[in-house]
mmCIF file of all heavy atoms in Angstrom:
data_model
loop_
_atom_site.group_PDB
_atom_site.id
_atom_site.type_symbol
_atom_site.label_atom_id
_atom_site.label_comp_id
_atom_site.label_asym_id
_atom_site.label_seq_id
_atom_site.Cartn_x
_atom_site.Cartn_y
_atom_site.Cartn_z
ATOM 1 N N VAL A 1 99.767 90.452 93.598
ATOM 2 C CA VAL A 1 98.355 90.252 93.910
ATOM 3 C C VAL A 1 97.433 90.566 92.736
ATOM 4 O O VAL A 1 96.241 90.378 92.831
ATOM 5 C CB VAL A 1 97.943 91.061 95.163
ATOM 6 C CG1 VAL A 1 98.703 90.600 96.378
ATOM 7 C CG2 VAL A 1 98.142 92.554 94.936
ATOM 8 N N GLY A 2 97.986 91.097 91.660
ATOM 9 C CA GLY A 2 97.179 91.441 90.505
ATOM 10 C C GLY A 2 97.931 92.350 89.552
ATOM 11 O O GLY A 2 99.149 92.529 89.661
ATOM 12 N N VAL A 3 97.179 92.944 88.629
ATOM 13 C CA VAL A 3 97.787 93.880 87.677
ATOM 14 C C VAL A 3 96.821 95.040 87.457
ATOM 15 O O VAL A 3 95.609 94.925 87.680
ATOM 16 C CB VAL A 3 98.110 93.219 86.325
ATOM 17 C CG1 VAL A 3 99.010 91.992 86.516
ATOM 18 C CG2 VAL A 3 96.868 92.858 85.551
ATOM 19 N N THR A 4 97.399 96.132 86.983
ATOM 20 C CA THR A 4 96.600 97.275 86.517
ATOM 21 C C THR A 4 96.796 97.377 85.012
ATOM 22 O O THR A 4 97.915 97.329 84.523
ATOM 23 C CB THR A 4 97.055 98.569 87.191
ATOM 24 O OG1 THR A 4 96.839 98.456 88.620
ATOM 25 C CG2 THR A 4 96.252 99.768 86.677
ATOM 26 N N TYR A 5 95.673 97.490 84.289
ATOM 27 C CA TYR A 5 95.762 97.606 82.831
ATOM 28 C C TYR A 5 94.844 98.700 82.319
ATOM 29 O O TYR A 5 93.909 99.143 83.013
ATOM 30 C CB TYR A 5 95.482 96.273 82.140
ATOM 31 C CG TYR A 5 94.040 95.839 82.115
ATOM 32 C CD1 TYR A 5 93.213 96.177 81.046
ATOM 33 C CD2 TYR A 5 93.510 95.070 83.148
ATOM 34 C CE1 TYR A 5 91.887 95.778 81.015
ATOM 35 C CE2 TYR A 5 92.176 94.654 83.121
ATOM 36 C CZ TYR A 5 91.369 95.014 82.051
ATOM 37 O OH TYR A 5 90.068 94.613 82.022
ATOM 38 N N ARG A 6 95.136 99.173 81.126
ATOM 39 C CA ARG A 6 94.333 100.211 80.485
ATOM 40 C C ARG A 6 93.746 99.691 79.182
ATOM 41 O O ARG A 6 94.437 99.043 78.383
ATOM 42 C CB ARG A 6 95.172 101.457 80.181
ATOM 43 C CG ARG A 6 94.400 102.596 79.518
ATOM 44 C CD ARG A 6 95.283 103.801 79.246
ATOM 45 N NE ARG A 6 95.757 104.428 80.459
ATOM 46 C CZ ARG A 6 95.051 105.298 81.167
ATOM 47 N NH1 ARG A 6 93.821 105.627 80.788
ATOM 48 N NH2 ARG A 6 95.564 105.832 82.258
ATOM 49 N N ASP A 7 92.487 99.963 78.975
ATOM 50 C CA ASP A 7 91.856 99.706 77.675
ATOM 51 C C ASP A 7 91.124 100.955 77.234
ATOM 52 O O ASP A 7 91.308 102.027 77.806
ATOM 53 C CB ASP A 7 90.952 98.463 77.703
ATOM 54 C CG ASP A 7 89.775 98.621 78.662
ATOM 55 O OD1 ASP A 7 89.484 99.758 79.117
ATOM 56 O OD2 ASP A 7 89.099 97.588 78.942
ATOM 57 N N LYS A 8 90.242 100.838 76.247
ATOM 58 C CA LYS A 8 89.557 102.005 75.725
ATOM 59 C C LYS A 8 88.656 102.685 76.742
ATOM 60 O O LYS A 8 88.335 103.877 76.614
ATOM 61 C CB LYS A 8 88.720 101.631 74.498
ATOM 62 C CG LYS A 8 89.567 101.172 73.295
ATOM 63 C CD LYS A 8 88.653 100.781 72.140
ATOM 64 C CE LYS A 8 89.482 100.330 70.923
ATOM 65 N NZ LYS A 8 88.620 99.892 69.787
ATOM 66 N N THR A 9 88.260 101.946 77.768
ATOM 67 C CA THR A 9 87.334 102.497 78.739
ATOM 68 C C THR A 9 88.024 103.079 79.966
ATOM 69 O O THR A 9 87.381 103.640 80.857
ATOM 70 C CB THR A 9 86.325 101.433 79.217
ATOM 71 O OG1 THR A 9 87.014 100.384 79.911
ATOM 72 C CG2 THR A 9 85.581 100.866 78.013
ATOM 73 N N GLY A 10 89.358 102.922 80.050
ATOM 74 C CA GLY A 10 90.102 103.486 81.170
ATOM 75 C C GLY A 10 90.943 102.462 81.892
ATOM 76 O O GLY A 10 91.301 101.428 81.341
ATOM 77 N N LEU A 11 91.296 102.773 83.156
ATOM 78 C CA LEU A 11 92.124 101.910 83.965
ATOM 79 C C LEU A 11 91.293 100.869 84.711
ATOM 80 O O LEU A 11 90.180 101.161 85.161
ATOM 81 C CB LEU A 11 92.916 102.731 84.996
ATOM 82 C CG LEU A 11 94.166 103.450 84.522
ATOM 83 C CD1 LEU A 11 94.750 104.301 85.655
ATOM 84 C CD2 LEU A 11 95.209 102.503 83.985
ATOM 85 N N HIS A 12 91.863 99.665 84.828
ATOM 86 C CA HIS A 12 91.200 98.588 85.542
ATOM 87 C C HIS A 12 92.241 97.866 86.403
ATOM 88 O O HIS A 12 93.388 97.717 86.001
ATOM 89 C CB HIS A 12 90.567 97.589 84.575
ATOM 90 C CG HIS A 12 89.672 98.220 83.562
ATOM 91 N ND1 HIS A 12 88.328 98.469 83.781
ATOM 92 C CD2 HIS A 12 89.927 98.690 82.297
ATOM 93 C CE1 HIS A 12 87.798 99.042 82.721
ATOM 94 N NE2 HIS A 12 88.772 99.179 81.791
ATOM 95 N N GLN A 13 91.770 97.412 87.548
ATOM 96 C CA GLN A 13 92.650 96.620 88.421
ATOM 97 C C GLN A 13 92.018 95.237 88.594
ATOM 98 O O GLN A 13 90.824 95.134 88.914
ATOM 99 C CB GLN A 13 92.823 97.287 89.769
ATOM 100 C CG GLN A 13 93.865 96.634 90.649
ATOM 101 C CD GLN A 13 94.059 97.370 91.956
ATOM 102 O OE1 GLN A 13 93.102 97.688 92.652
ATOM 103 N NE2 GLN A 13 95.307 97.693 92.269
ATOM 104 N N VAL A 14 92.785 94.216 88.347
ATOM 105 C CA VAL A 14 92.318 92.853 88.556
ATOM 106 C C VAL A 14 93.248 92.176 89.547
ATOM 107 O O VAL A 14 94.448 92.432 89.568
ATOM 108 C CB VAL A 14 92.262 92.054 87.229
ATOM 109 C CG1 VAL A 14 91.086 92.491 86.394
ATOM 110 C CG2 VAL A 14 93.560 92.222 86.444
ATOM 111 N N ILE A 15 92.685 91.334 90.389
ATOM 112 C CA ILE A 15 93.472 90.676 91.420
ATOM 113 C C ILE A 15 93.436 89.167 91.183
ATOM 114 O O ILE A 15 92.535 88.642 90.504
ATOM 115 C CB ILE A 15 92.979 91.030 92.830
ATOM 116 C CG1 ILE A 15 91.521 90.594 93.015
ATOM 117 C CG2 ILE A 15 93.149 92.497 93.091
ATOM 118 C CD1 ILE A 15 90.985 90.851 94.411
ATOM 119 N N CYS A 16 94.415 88.467 91.730
ATOM 120 C CA CYS A 16 94.487 87.021 91.563
ATOM 121 C C CYS A 16 94.752 86.372 92.890
ATOM 122 O O CYS A 16 95.412 86.944 93.792
ATOM 123 C CB CYS A 16 95.567 86.615 90.561
ATOM 124 S SG CYS A 16 97.231 87.090 90.995
ATOM 125 N N THR A 17 94.242 85.173 93.038
ATOM 126 C CA THR A 17 94.412 84.416 94.275
ATOM 127 C C THR A 17 95.647 83.535 94.257
ATOM 128 O O THR A 17 96.106 83.108 95.295
ATOM 129 C CB THR A 17 93.180 83.561 94.545
ATOM 130 O OG1 THR A 17 93.016 82.633 93.453
ATOM 131 C CG2 THR A 17 91.921 84.408 94.650
ATOM 132 N N ARG A 18 96.197 83.281 93.035
ATOM 133 C CA ARG A 18 97.326 82.371 92.948
ATOM 134 C C ARG A 18 98.552 83.023 92.344
ATOM 135 O O ARG A 18 99.524 83.277 93.067
ATOM 136 C CB ARG A 18 96.919 81.107 92.174
ATOM 137 C CG ARG A 18 95.823 80.324 92.939
ATOM 138 C CD ARG A 18 95.337 79.111 92.169
ATOM 139 N NE ARG A 18 96.373 78.096 92.022
ATOM 140 C CZ ARG A 18 96.155 76.892 91.459
ATOM 141 N NH1 ARG A 18 94.963 76.612 90.968
ATOM 142 N NH2 ARG A 18 97.144 76.014 91.374
ATOM 143 N N GLU A 19 98.557 83.333 91.043
ATOM 144 C CA GLU A 19 99.784 83.847 90.431
ATOM 145 C C GLU A 19 99.495 84.809 89.282
ATOM 146 O O GLU A 19 98.492 84.666 88.574
ATOM 147 C CB GLU A 19 100.656 82.711 89.874
ATOM 148 C CG GLU A 19 101.258 81.792 90.913
ATOM 149 C CD GLU A 19 102.160 80.735 90.286
ATOM 150 O OE1 GLU A 19 102.313 80.746 89.066
ATOM 151 O OE2 GLU A 19 102.691 79.904 91.043
ATOM 152 N N VAL A 20 100.438 85.733 89.102
ATOM 153 C CA VAL A 20 100.533 86.524 87.890
ATOM 154 C C VAL A 20 101.646 85.892 87.045
ATOM 155 O O VAL A 20 102.729 85.599 87.544
ATOM 156 C CB VAL A 20 100.869 88.005 88.164
ATOM 157 C CG1 VAL A 20 101.114 88.749 86.857
ATOM 158 C CG2 VAL A 20 99.745 88.662 88.951
ATOM 159 N N ILE A 21 101.369 85.685 85.749
ATOM 160 C CA ILE A 21 102.352 85.081 84.840
ATOM 161 C C ILE A 21 102.611 86.108 83.728
ATOM 162 O O ILE A 21 101.714 86.444 82.961
ATOM 163 C CB ILE A 21 101.826 83.768 84.247
ATOM 164 C CG1 ILE A 21 101.621 82.731 85.380
ATOM 165 C CG2 ILE A 21 102.814 83.225 83.201
ATOM 166 C CD1 ILE A 21 100.944 81.439 84.909
ATOM 167 N N LEU A 22 103.845 86.589 83.659
ATOM 168 C CA LEU A 22 104.235 87.551 82.629
ATOM 169 C C LEU A 22 104.679 86.788 81.374
ATOM 170 O O LEU A 22 105.592 85.960 81.427
ATOM 171 C CB LEU A 22 105.366 88.452 83.116
ATOM 172 C CG LEU A 22 105.011 89.505 84.183
ATOM 173 C CD1 LEU A 22 106.233 90.329 84.520
ATOM 174 C CD2 LEU A 22 103.892 90.403 83.700
ATOM 175 N N SER A 23 104.053 87.142 80.248
ATOM 176 C CA SER A 23 104.392 86.498 78.975
ATOM 177 C C SER A 23 104.254 87.542 77.870
ATOM 178 O O SER A 23 103.643 87.272 76.838
ATOM 179 C CB SER A 23 103.490 85.295 78.737
ATOM 180 O OG SER A 23 103.921 84.556 77.615
ATOM 181 N N ALA A 24 104.829 88.704 78.094
ATOM 182 C CA ALA A 24 104.690 89.826 77.173
ATOM 183 C C ALA A 24 105.828 89.938 76.162
ATOM 184 O O ALA A 24 105.879 90.892 75.394
ATOM 185 C CB ALA A 24 104.549 91.130 77.950
ATOM 186 N N GLY A 25 106.750 88.989 76.178
ATOM 187 C CA GLY A 25 107.871 88.996 75.233
ATOM 188 C C GLY A 25 109.107 89.618 75.822
ATOM 189 O O GLY A 25 109.094 90.331 76.822
ATOM 190 N N SER A 26 110.234 89.335 75.155
ATOM 191 C CA SER A 26 111.528 89.709 75.707
ATOM 192 C C SER A 26 111.819 91.193 75.744
ATOM 193 O O SER A 26 112.776 91.622 76.367
ATOM 194 C CB SER A 26 112.645 89.005 74.919
ATOM 195 O OG SER A 26 112.562 87.608 75.099
ATOM 196 N N LEU A 27 110.994 91.999 75.042
ATOM 197 C CA LEU A 27 111.201 93.436 75.063
ATOM 198 C C LEU A 27 110.239 94.118 76.016
ATOM 199 O O LEU A 27 110.556 95.180 76.559
ATOM 200 C CB LEU A 27 111.040 94.010 73.654
ATOM 201 C CG LEU A 27 111.924 93.391 72.579
ATOM 202 C CD1 LEU A 27 111.718 94.108 71.247
ATOM 203 C CD2 LEU A 27 113.384 93.379 72.970
ATOM 204 N N VAL A 28 109.063 93.555 76.260
ATOM 205 C CA VAL A 28 108.057 94.169 77.115
ATOM 206 C C VAL A 28 108.042 93.565 78.516
ATOM 207 O O VAL A 28 107.801 94.289 79.512
ATOM 208 C CB VAL A 28 106.672 94.098 76.450
ATOM 209 C CG1 VAL A 28 105.595 94.696 77.369
ATOM 210 C CG2 VAL A 28 106.692 94.856 75.131
ATOM 211 N N THR A 29 108.271 92.269 78.656
ATOM 212 C CA THR A 29 108.320 91.660 79.988
ATOM 213 C C THR A 29 109.296 92.386 80.908
ATOM 214 O O THR A 29 108.952 92.723 82.041
ATOM 215 C CB THR A 29 108.594 90.167 79.916
ATOM 216 O OG1 THR A 29 107.395 89.511 79.455
ATOM 217 C CG2 THR A 29 108.986 89.588 81.248
ATOM 218 N N PRO A 30 110.566 92.638 80.491
ATOM 219 C CA PRO A 30 111.468 93.376 81.397
ATOM 220 C C PRO A 30 110.982 94.787 81.706
ATOM 221 O O PRO A 30 111.172 95.311 82.792
ATOM 222 C CB PRO A 30 112.808 93.364 80.687
ATOM 223 C CG PRO A 30 112.500 93.061 79.238
ATOM 224 C CD PRO A 30 111.273 92.187 79.272
ATOM 225 N N LYS A 31 110.345 95.426 80.695
ATOM 226 C CA LYS A 31 109.774 96.764 80.948
ATOM 227 C C LYS A 31 108.727 96.695 82.038
ATOM 228 O O LYS A 31 108.728 97.527 82.958
ATOM 229 C CB LYS A 31 109.156 97.281 79.634
ATOM 230 C CG LYS A 31 108.328 98.535 79.795
ATOM 231 C CD LYS A 31 107.538 98.876 78.534
ATOM 232 C CE LYS A 31 106.418 99.835 78.813
ATOM 233 N NZ LYS A 31 105.640 100.155 77.595
ATOM 234 N N LEU A 32 107.818 95.718 81.983
ATOM 235 C CA LEU A 32 106.772 95.604 83.002
ATOM 236 C C LEU A 32 107.381 95.263 84.359
ATOM 237 O O LEU A 32 106.894 95.772 85.398
ATOM 238 C CB LEU A 32 105.773 94.535 82.588
ATOM 239 C CG LEU A 32 104.855 94.919 81.420
ATOM 240 C CD1 LEU A 32 103.976 93.736 81.043
ATOM 241 C CD2 LEU A 32 104.017 96.129 81.752
ATOM 242 N N LEU A 33 108.381 94.424 84.404
ATOM 243 C CA LEU A 33 109.035 94.132 85.677
ATOM 244 C C LEU A 33 109.594 95.413 86.282
ATOM 245 O O LEU A 33 109.396 95.710 87.477
ATOM 246 C CB LEU A 33 110.149 93.093 85.472
ATOM 247 C CG LEU A 33 109.692 91.651 85.243
ATOM 248 C CD1 LEU A 33 110.887 90.782 84.811
ATOM 249 C CD2 LEU A 33 109.058 91.063 86.502
ATOM 250 N N MET A 34 110.283 96.209 85.484
ATOM 251 C CA MET A 34 110.900 97.436 85.982
ATOM 252 C C MET A 34 109.839 98.472 86.401
ATOM 253 O O MET A 34 109.979 99.122 87.439
ATOM 254 C CB MET A 34 111.873 97.993 84.949
ATOM 255 C CG MET A 34 113.131 97.139 84.811
ATOM 256 S SD MET A 34 114.417 97.837 83.740
ATOM 257 C CE MET A 34 113.770 97.394 82.116
ATOM 258 N N LEU A 35 108.767 98.590 85.628
ATOM 259 C CA LEU A 35 107.701 99.495 86.018
ATOM 260 C C LEU A 35 107.050 99.089 87.314
ATOM 261 O O LEU A 35 106.475 99.919 88.034
ATOM 262 C CB LEU A 35 106.631 99.565 84.905
ATOM 263 C CG LEU A 35 107.013 100.289 83.618
ATOM 264 C CD1 LEU A 35 105.905 100.125 82.577
ATOM 265 C CD2 LEU A 35 107.295 101.771 83.871
ATOM 266 N N SER A 36 107.166 97.792 87.650
ATOM 267 C CA SER A 36 106.572 97.274 88.885
ATOM 268 C C SER A 36 107.550 97.295 90.055
ATOM 269 O O SER A 36 107.209 96.814 91.134
ATOM 270 C CB SER A 36 106.100 95.832 88.630
ATOM 271 O OG SER A 36 105.255 95.764 87.482
ATOM 272 N N GLY A 37 108.743 97.860 89.843
ATOM 273 C CA GLY A 37 109.721 97.959 90.928
ATOM 274 C C GLY A 37 110.640 96.783 91.042
ATOM 275 O O GLY A 37 111.283 96.585 92.078
ATOM 276 N N ILE A 38 110.738 95.976 89.966
ATOM 277 C CA ILE A 38 111.607 94.791 89.954
ATOM 278 C C ILE A 38 112.662 94.972 88.906
ATOM 279 O O ILE A 38 112.355 95.013 87.696
ATOM 280 C CB ILE A 38 110.763 93.526 89.680
ATOM 281 C CG1 ILE A 38 109.630 93.377 90.685
ATOM 282 C CG2 ILE A 38 111.647 92.285 89.646
ATOM 283 C CD1 ILE A 38 108.579 92.380 90.286
#
């Protein structure tokens, strides 16, 4: 339903109505999947 990200101002949550698309590369995409419980 969305993602949580951090920037210089702190944590932010954004939501989506259709899809999240992971394109963080072959070393970070699996890391994000696992951090998300996948």
Side-chain angles (χ1 to χ4, degrees):
V1 296
V3 305
T4 298
Y5 74 91
R6 180 181 294 277
D7 63 13
K8 293 179 180 179
T9 65
L11 280 176
H12 308 273
Q13 188 176 50
V14 285
I15 59 177
C16 62
T17 61
R18 295 176 67 176
E19 292 183 1
V20 174
I21 298 173
L22 289 182
S23 189
S26 294
L27 305 184
V28 177
T29 285
K31 169 190 163 181
L32 289 176
L33 286 170
M34 289 186 279
L35 288 175
S36 307
I38 303 166

